[in-house]
């Protein structure tokens, strides 16, 4: 029996009144639920042995004001069952009379703890009150922000931008003084923190080990951590809002800037989602090149992680930092050769690649692989058996497998807990199934296990790249679908049809059919997910991003309790966060 | 004319020593940056002057002309005193370190290559070096900053703990030589360096020396990645530089003491015929130890605080005591 049918049938049999509708669009199973049944259904979906949707991948909401659907707001739950490799999306419309400040939705934080931050994000950006949430407050926007930016009636623009160089403006006559009103407000302590008996120390937002602007409110008894609460959002730049006012293809450069260490992987996840929405087939050559680029980027990201993690944990051992960055430099050079960009690559486009690989590309990749393998052994030798390194990371930050799943952890952290969830293996995309590779796992689920998993992953990535570069097929590097990609330049001279396609694409862009899809890919840091809602125009109606760093970072508190302050730094490093993606 | 021998000569010698040490500090920082850069496949400072040789001077001038910032919430007196308390003891130790047995005569006065040959030289060196801890604690405490305080607390416990195993390493030397005078200790090594007689003692001394000077892998007090900069978090400009001066001079002191105690001081081939060679040998051996310390910094991760303490109390101290016992037994039976 088909897996998706089972879910709907089991659900209907158990809660006949709960289901408002079942639909399938682009192979995504979508179930519309009544609000009052949400918690019961969620618990059953998680626990029923036939369903076992144990991983809440994503939680978001849609303001359907301009779609003309009532009720206006609906929350969206993307569930994934690790044992069954099945996904289902729940849509819960929230009846709202418009008289209260915001619609109300029951919280699922006690069913999936990962919903904590996700619900706060929805509350912050869309304005939905989650009943039963332990500490519902803004997470990405400043505390004193007015309104909810992702609502469709939120005013766009209209904010005057003050430039201090504008000397004609009488407002700036007093140059040299504070011109913008810098509001400061005392930060509220997270619940349960006891500042009377414990020392509360702020790590960040400016702190050398947080790799950006992360603030950790660490409650210490001596040097022992009682609790560690993360305060994020300092780097919030409204990617989702930007995405909802741009054409689909114009958002690709923005994805480079989310997790700026894995631009290619972000590109890949996004174009896969749009291709899924459009139903476009990508030629094999493009798929292979995408795999090469994505795996090179994974190596780059992991090398950067190794460099900074070793540096964070060990302080003055900058040597490894420099060695790893030297190798990453070679990867960036290859990217530069391919697309001109190094960090912000924008190497892929919907339907294939932006351009074909240059002739020197395969050789450069092979040279890199040779060098990398040689040096990688040295890095391995420097840390893996180093007694100080083992003492610093072994037994630190244990996360039980069930706990990890409940917290929505994905990527190397989940695999270090012994759960071999790797989308490249279980739901192969971009012809990952053509290559032989293993999914490294460990069972200790501590910082050392995460280190080992990532190190072994690098070896596997090198293996994949080698196979792909040796078996690189010929043929086109983009789809022939003229509705999606521009025709080649020579064709414009001979074909009127090509000119029309060109004109339509440049002036209007492609228009996917109405509907919603969830696309995801295995990023170096975990599963990166995109939720797209199309209203049939060339601009996404709703674009939601699930950043793996954001979700994984939630586990910090659970992992840190009882360890020492020094271990907190080890832990932040072992989560492998990029604040650009955490705050989006 | 007793005042010349009693006052003038020591004064001039002390002056020369201080100038040499401060220059030494400046160029040690250059050497370390250059060396570590090579370990990192980088170039290191190479802009100021040929091979970047003027870099320390540029750094010094920059530090001097920085704006003087004193945090409003700091305890001003101690905040200003702390850097000085770190530097002065580090310099004082050098009064007893014998560089060479070479001496020459000017106007009938004998000039030796050490300030004084104290008969409790070793004890003096240990005691004075330990004083620097006060500067660090006061600096961390008076800054009135949580990071600085944590850094200072770590330092105090670390330094106090590691003095013990260091003491045991020195005790075994004492048992062999039977004198606290550093000159006597060097003279006793004329035939055989103590590193061969006391290999375990040297190892313990080197490790504790790293800890006492807050060098990697024991650089806990200034763990930049957790405590920002530890006890120097609130310091800037020349006060910041003074802390580093203290640390680098301590590093030189540790190396010089290691040379004196274990590596035979000024002894080497042909020193008997040409005593001035002793200075060269002393500097060479000292540089070798400094190089070792820098090498360790570039290749070892840092230990955690509790591991650091555990290592000291549960491993180094028993090892050191065992070493003392064996040495004492051997000396008592066959000495």
């Amino acid at each position: 029996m088909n897996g998706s049918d089972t879910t709907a049938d089991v659900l209907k049999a158990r809660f006949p009144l709960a289901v408002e509708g079942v639909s399938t669009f682009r192979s995504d199973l979508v179930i519309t639920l009544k609000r009052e049944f949400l918690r019961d259904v969620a618990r059953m979906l998680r626990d029923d042995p036939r369903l076992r949707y144990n991983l809440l991948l994503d939680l978001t909401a849609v303001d359907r004001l301009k779609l003309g659907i009532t009720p206006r707001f609906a929350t969206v739950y993307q569930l994934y069952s690790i044992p069954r490799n099945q996904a289902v999306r729940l849509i819960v419309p929230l009846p709202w009379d418009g008289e209260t400040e915001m619609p109300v939705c029951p919280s699922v934080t006690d069913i999936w703890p990962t919903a904590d931050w996700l619900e706060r994000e929805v509350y912050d950006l869309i304005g939905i009150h989650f009943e039963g949430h332990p500490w519902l407050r803004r997470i990405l926007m400043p505390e004193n922000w007015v309104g909810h930016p992702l609502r469709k009636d939120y005013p766009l623009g209209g904010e005057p931008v003050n430039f201090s160089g504008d000397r004609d403006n009488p407002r700036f006559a007093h140059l040299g003084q504070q011109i913008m009103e810098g509001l400061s407000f005392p930060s509220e302590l997270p619940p349960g923190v006891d500042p009377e008996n414990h020392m509360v120390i702020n790590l960040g937002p400016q702190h050398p080990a947080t790799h950006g602007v992360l603030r950790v409110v660490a409650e210490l008894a001596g040097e022992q951590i009682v609790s560690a609460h993360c305060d994020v959002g300092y780097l919030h730049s409204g990617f989702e809002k930007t995405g909802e006012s741009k054409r689909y293809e114009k958002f690709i450069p923005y994805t480079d800037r989310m997790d700026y260490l894995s631009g290619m992987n972000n590109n890949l996840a996004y174009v896969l989602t749009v291709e899924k929405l459009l139903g476009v087939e990508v030629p094999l050559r493009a798929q292979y090149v995408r795999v090469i680029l994505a795996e090179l980027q994974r190596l780059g990201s992991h090398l950067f992680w190794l460099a900074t993690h070793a540096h964070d944990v060990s302080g003055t051992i900058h040597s490894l930092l420099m060695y790893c960055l030297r190798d990453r430099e070679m990867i960036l050079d290859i990217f530069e050769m391919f697309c001109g960009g190094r960090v912000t690559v924008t190497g892929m486009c919907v339907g294939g690649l932006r351009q074909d690989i240059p002739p020197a590309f395969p050789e450069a990749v092979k040279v890199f692989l040779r060098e990398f393998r040689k040096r990688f052994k040295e890095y391995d030798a420097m840390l893996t058996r180093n007694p100080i390194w083992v003492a610093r990371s072994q037994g630190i930050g244990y996360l039980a497998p069930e706990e990890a799943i409940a917290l929505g952890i994905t990527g190397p952290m989940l695999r270090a807990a012994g759960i071999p969830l790797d989308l490249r293996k279980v739901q192969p995309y971009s012809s990952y199934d053509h290559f032989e590779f293993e999914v490294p796992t460990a069972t200790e689920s501590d910082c050392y296990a995460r280190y080992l998993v990532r190190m072994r992953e690098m070896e596997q990535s090198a293996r994949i790249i080698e196979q792909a570069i040796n078996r690189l097929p010929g043929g086109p590097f983009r789809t022939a679908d003229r509705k999606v990609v521009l025709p080649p330049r020579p064709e414009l001279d001979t074909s009127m049809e090509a000119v029309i396609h060109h004109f339509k694409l440049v002036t209007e862009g492609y228009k996917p059919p109405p509907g919603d899809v969830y696309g995801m890919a295995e990023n170096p840091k975990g599963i990166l997910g995109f939720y797209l809602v199309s209203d049939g125009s060339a601009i996404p109606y709703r674009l939601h991003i699930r950043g793996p760093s954001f979700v994984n970072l939630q586990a910090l508190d659970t992992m840190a309790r009882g360890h020492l302050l020094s271990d907190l730094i080890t832990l932040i490093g072992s989560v492998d966060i990029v604040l650009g993606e955490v705050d989006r | 004319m007793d005042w010349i021998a009693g006052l003038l000569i020591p004064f001039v010698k002390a002056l020369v020593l201080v100038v040499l040490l401060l220059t030494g500090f400046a160029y040690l920082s250059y050497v370390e940056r250059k060396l570590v850069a090579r370990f990192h496949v980088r170039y290191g400072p190479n802009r100021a002057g040929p091979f970047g040789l003027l870099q320390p001077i540029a750094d010094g001038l920059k530090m001097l002309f920085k704006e003087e910032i004193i945090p409003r919430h700091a305890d001003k007196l101690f905040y200003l005193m702390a850097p000085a308390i770190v530097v002065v003891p580090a310099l004082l130790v050098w009064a007893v370190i014998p560089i060479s047995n070479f001496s020459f005569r000017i106007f009938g006065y004998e000039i030796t290559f050490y300030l004084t040959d104290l008969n409790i030289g070793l004890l003096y060196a240990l005691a004075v070096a330990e004083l620097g801890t006060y500067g660090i604690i006061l600096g961390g405490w008076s800054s009135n900053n949580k990071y600085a305080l944590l850094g200072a607390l770590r330092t105090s416990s670390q330094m106090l703990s590691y003095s013990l195993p260091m003491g045991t390493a020195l005790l075994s030397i004492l048992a062999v030589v039977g004198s606290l005078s550093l000159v006597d200790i060097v003279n006793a090594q004329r035939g055989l360096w103590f590193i061969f007689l006391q290999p375990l003692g040297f190892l313990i001394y080197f490790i504790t020396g790293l800890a006492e000077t807050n060098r990697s892998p024991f650089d806990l007090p200034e763990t930049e990645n957790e405590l920002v900069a530890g006890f120097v978090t609130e310091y800037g400009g020349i006060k910041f530089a003074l802390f580093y001066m203290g640390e680098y001079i301590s590093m030189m002191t540790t190396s010089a003491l290691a040379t004196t105690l274990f590596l035979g001081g000024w002894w080497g081939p042909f020193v008997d015929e040409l005593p001035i060679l002793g200075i060269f040998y002393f500097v060479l051996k000292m540089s070798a130890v400094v190089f070792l310390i820098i090498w360790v910094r570039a290749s070892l991760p840092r230990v955690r605080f509790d591991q650091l303490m555990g290592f000291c109390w549960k491993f180094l101290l028993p090892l050191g005591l065992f070493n003392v016992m064996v040495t004492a037994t051997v000396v008592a039976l066959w000495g």
Side-chain angles (χ1 to χ4, degrees):
Chain A
M1 196 205 256
N2 189 319
S4 51
D5 291 342
T6 336
T7 309
D9 292 344
V10 170
L11 197 58
K12 274 182 185 157
R14 179 84 167 71
F15 296 105
L17 294 175
V19 180
E20 279 186 354
V22 178
S23 65
T24 308
F25 177 71
R26 305 280 188 221
S27 75
D28 276 10
L29 173 69
V30 184
I31 298 176
T32 312
L33 281 182
K34 284 209 180 76
R35 178 172 65 178
E36 49 275 29
F37 291 96
L38 170 65
R39 287 175 51 81
D40 295 334
V41 170
R43 198 167 281 124
M44 190 205 76
L45 286 175
R46 185 190 64 176
D47 296 334
D48 192 297
R50 288 166 296 176
L51 306 174
R52 297 175 66 193
Y53 288 101
N54 45 3
L55 180 63
L56 176 67
L57 257 184
D58 206 349
L59 192 164
T60 184
V62 187
D63 176 6
R64 306 185 287 188
L65 180 69
K66 292 189 177 157
L67 288 177
I69 303 175
T70 45
R72 182 176 154 191
F73 292 99
T75 43
V76 180
Y77 301 81
Q78 180 75 17
L79 302 179
Y80 178 77
S81 157
I82 295 174
R84 289 175 55 239
N85 188 18
Q86 283 283 340
V88 67
R89 184 155 62 248
L90 307 179
I91 292 186
V92 183
L94 306 174
W96 181 43
D97 52 12
E99 304 210 332
T100 51
E101 196 191 343
M102 48 182 79
V104 176
C105 178
S107 166
V108 292
T109 39
D110 53 336
I111 302 169
W112 290 288
T114 179
D116 186 347
W117 283 17
L118 297 169
E119 283 179 358
R120 277 175 66 188
E121 187 189 335
V122 172
Y123 164 80
D124 186 1
L125 299 180
I126 300 190
I128 290 170
H129 184 82
F130 286 92
E131 228 168 37
H133 188 284
W135 197 43
L136 197 62
R137 65 203 291 279
R138 288 191 184 268
I139 184 167
L140 294 178
M141 305 299 285
E143 209 103 327
N144 53 351
W145 195 264
V146 180
H148 303 281
L150 283 184
R151 285 193 176 182
K152 289 293 172 185
D153 55 359
Y154 187 80
L156 251 191
E159 287 259 334
V161 181
N162 296 323
F163 294 104
S164 55
D166 184 5
R167 283 163 194 277
D168 298 332
N169 190 334
R171 277 192 66 185
F172 304 129
H174 54 284
L175 269 180
Q177 293 174 25
Q178 188 86 22
I179 43 169
M180 304 288 277
E181 193 183 0
L183 284 178
S184 79
F185 43 88
S187 181
E188 196 185 325
L189 276 178
V193 173
D194 173 15
E196 295 298 318
N197 297 320
H198 294 140
M199 181 176 186
V200 179
I201 193 164
N202 258 321
L203 273 94
Q206 279 85 34
H207 189 277
T210 52
H211 297 285
V213 277
L214 166 70
R215 173 169 163 245
V216 182
V217 182
E219 185 187 4
L220 301 178
E223 281 212 34
Q224 206 168 36
I225 296 166
V226 180
S227 69
H229 296 273
C230 294
D231 185 8
V232 300
Y234 292 93
L235 207 60
H236 181 57
S237 28
F239 279 103
E240 295 181 10
K241 188 76 183 166
T242 312
E244 287 168 22
S245 57
K246 290 208 175 307
R247 282 192 223 149
Y248 285 93
E249 73 272 21
K250 298 255 163 88
F251 189 69
I252 299 174
Y254 285 86
T255 60
D256 297 335
R257 285 148 179 88
M258 288 182 335
D259 175 357
Y260 38 77
L261 295 179
S262 38
M264 285 290 184
N265 300 83
N266 298 344
N267 286 176
L268 182 58
Y270 179 71
V271 297
L272 282 173
T273 314
V274 180
E275 279 158 10
K276 185 175 172 185
L277 181 65
L278 286 164
V280 177
E281 281 296 315
V282 180
L284 198 60
R285 182 179 174 80
Q287 292 190 11
Y288 271 52
V289 175
R290 281 178 176 187
V291 166
I292 295 171
L293 294 172
E295 290 308 313
L296 279 175
Q297 185 76 80
R298 190 184 311 275
L299 277 179
S301 173
H302 277 11
L303 279 171
F304 203 92
W305 159 81
L306 178 63
T308 50
H309 187 40
H311 176 231
D312 282 349
V313 171
S314 60
T316 41
I317 173 174
H318 297 286
S319 315
L320 198 56
L321 178 87
M322 294 293 163
Y323 301 160
C324 290
L325 291 193
R326 174 184 59 184
D327 285 359
R328 180 167 171 267
E329 200 65 18
M330 290 180 79
I331 297 174
L332 297 187
D333 285 343
I334 293 174
F335 286 167
E336 191 177 3
M337 178 202 281
F338 168 66
C339 62
R342 291 165 64 84
V343 178
T344 49
V345 281
T346 319
M348 300 168 194
C349 71
V350 175
L353 303 168
R354 203 155 283 274
Q355 61 274 312
D356 203 359
I357 53 170
F361 184 87
E363 193 48 43
V365 173
K366 281 175 191 165
V367 168
F368 163 74
L369 280 181
R370 221 171 22 241
E371 287 289 305
F372 170 76
R373 288 206 162 122
K374 209 164 60 200
R375 289 173 184 166
F376 182 75
K377 286 200 189 89
E378 293 173 11
Y379 309 154
D380 205 36
M382 211 163 161
L383 288 181
T384 307
R385 288 180 200 284
N386 185 325
I388 301 182
W389 178 259
V390 175
R392 285 301 305 272
S393 52
Q394 215 160 41
I396 307 294
Y398 176 75
L399 209 55
E402 316 80 54
E403 222 171 8
I405 295 173
L407 281 164
I409 307 287
T410 48
M413 276 180 81
L414 186 64
R415 294 194 280 274
I419 294 157
L421 172 64
D422 188 330
L423 286 183
R424 294 176 295 170
K425 208 73 172 175
V426 298
Q427 291 190 351
Y429 53 90
S430 197
S431 45
Y432 264 110
D433 45 344
H434 294 194
F435 309 112
E436 271 180 37
F437 65 100
E438 286 152 24
V439 178
T441 54
T443 47
E444 291 82 9
S445 194
D446 55 6
C447 288
Y448 189 65
R450 284 165 209 144
Y451 159 79
L452 285 181
V453 164
R454 288 198 176 97
M455 291 299 265
R456 297 289 87 79
E457 251 174 43
M458 281 198 249
E459 286 169 0
Q460 297 302 326
S461 287
R463 214 172 131 196
I464 298 173
I465 297 169
E466 191 166 42
Q467 294 173 47
I469 203 84
N470 285 335
R471 305 208 306 249
L472 192 63
F477 62 92
R478 283 177 187 173
T479 170
D481 189 343
R482 294 281 177 264
K483 303 275 184 217
V484 177
V485 296
L486 293 177
R489 181 65 187 82
E491 212 172 282
L492 293 182
D493 298 338
T494 54
S495 157
M496 190 61 211
E497 205 182 359
V499 176
I500 294 170
H501 280 313
H502 192 284
F503 179 76
K504 290 288 269 184
L505 267 178
V506 172
T507 53
E508 289 176 8
Y510 41 77
K511 292 177 180 165
D516 57 341
V517 292
Y518 196 87
M520 49 191 180
E522 187 73 33
N523 255 33
K525 296 174 177 66
I527 293 176
L528 175 68
F530 283 97
Y531 177 57
L532 280 176
V533 179
S534 161
D535 57 354
S537 75
I539 295 170
Y541 182 77
R542 175 87 176 94
L543 187 155
H544 173 73
I545 307 156
R546 176 213 201 262
S549 301
F550 177 71
V551 180
N552 290 357
L553 188 58
Q554 271 195 89
L556 189 68
D557 184 32
T558 318
M559 294 194 297
R561 280 171 196 239
H563 289 301
L564 299 178
L565 182 63
S566 314
D567 298 327
L568 189 64
I569 310 302
T570 318
L571 284 169
I572 294 177
S574 87
V575 180
D576 190 13
I577 47 164
V578 162
L579 266 300
E581 186 179 77
V582 172
D583 297 341
R584 302 185 305 289
Chain B
M1 285 295 180
D2 213 13
W3 63 274
I4 294 186
L7 217 59
L8 186 63
I9 292 176
F11 181 75
V12 171
K13 279 205 283 194
L15 206 66
V16 171
L17 197 59
V18 167
V19 169
L20 274 179
L21 278 176
L22 294 191
T23 326
F25 147 67
Y27 276 89
L28 182 58
S29 73
Y30 168 81
V31 166
E32 168 154 33
R33 286 173 72 178
K34 223 37 183 177
L35 268 179
V36 168
R38 296 320 301 188
F39 284 126
H40 288 175
V41 277
R42 291 187 287 122
Y43 288 109
N46 63 353
R47 296 286 131 165
F51 309 107
L53 274 171
L54 296 180
Q55 187 67 39
I57 296 167
D59 283 346
L61 285 177
K62 178 190 146 208
M63 289 293 191
L64 265 177
F65 288 111
K66 277 209 158 189
E67 187 188 351
E68 172 117 349
I69 296 170
I70 299 172
R72 208 181 305 158
H73 49 71
D75 188 326
K76 232 179 195 169
L77 178 67
F78 291 121
Y79 178 79
L80 291 176
M81 264 168 61
I85 298 178
V86 170
V87 174
V88 171
L91 289 171
L92 280 180
V93 180
W94 278 79
V96 292
I97 291 177
I99 294 165
S100 164
N101 62 347
F102 176 67
S103 62
F104 56 92
R105 289 185 160 274
I106 300 177
F107 306 122
Y109 293 103
E110 190 176 15
I111 313 283
T112 52
F113 270 73
Y114 43 85
L115 203 56
T116 172
D117 178 16
L118 221 54
N119 58 357
I120 51 154
L122 192 54
L123 200 61
Y124 167 84
L126 261 186
V128 171
E130 223 41 50
L131 278 179
T133 319
Y134 281 107
I136 289 173
I137 299 171
L138 281 179
W141 177 77
S142 64
S143 302
N144 207 351
N145 174 310
K146 287 174 187 172
Y147 291 119
L149 183 66
L150 276 177
L153 285 177
R154 283 181 177 190
T155 318
S156 53
S157 44
Q158 174 182 337
M159 286 199 156
L160 290 177
S161 309
Y162 273 80
S163 303
L164 281 167
M166 185 184 248
T168 62
L170 303 182
L171 219 58
S172 43
I173 297 265
L174 281 187
V176 177
V177 182
S179 164
L180 276 164
S181 156
L182 290 173
V183 177
D184 289 351
I185 291 176
V186 177
N187 277 327
Q189 299 182 71
R190 184 167 184 175
L192 185 65
W193 297 358
F194 284 156
I195 186 172
F196 301 113
L197 219 55
Q198 289 285 343
L200 204 58
F202 176 72
L203 206 66
I204 295 172
Y205 177 80
F206 184 71
I207 293 172
T208 51
L210 288 178
E212 287 283 308
T213 48
N214 302 332
R215 294 289 304 185
S216 173
F218 306 114
D219 51 345
L220 279 274
E222 34 176 309
T223 43
E224 56 188 277
N225 293 333
E226 36 199 281
L227 298 183
V228 186
F231 60 90
V232 289
T233 304
E234 295 282 2
Y235 282 91
I238 194 68
K239 294 194 287 297
F240 173 80
L242 280 177
F243 274 118
Y244 271 81
M245 191 187 283
E247 181 181 312
Y248 277 88
I249 293 175
S250 299
M251 188 167 131
M252 285 197 277
T253 315
T254 308
S255 320
L257 275 177
T259 310
T260 311
L261 298 174
F262 292 98
L263 299 177
W266 60 73
W267 293 114
F270 308 114
V271 170
D272 285 332
E273 291 83 11
L274 201 60
I276 199 164
L277 266 180
I279 303 172
F280 170 71
Y281 284 129
F282 184 86
V283 173
L284 189 73
K285 289 170 188 172
M286 201 180 116
S287 312
V289 180
V290 167
F291 178 79
L292 201 62
I293 294 179
I294 295 174
W295 191 5
V296 166
R297 168 184 160 178
S299 33
L300 277 187
R302 179 195 291 139
V303 295
R304 211 175 57 206
F305 185 63
D306 55 325
Q307 294 164 349
L308 172 96
M309 298 305 265
F311 180 67
C312 174
W313 290 102
K314 291 179 194 156
F315 182 74
L316 273 187
L317 189 60
L319 197 69
L321 288 174
F322 169 74
N323 191 35
V324 171
M325 255 162 57
V326 172
T327 311
T329 317
V330 171
V331 169
L333 290 180
W334 293 286

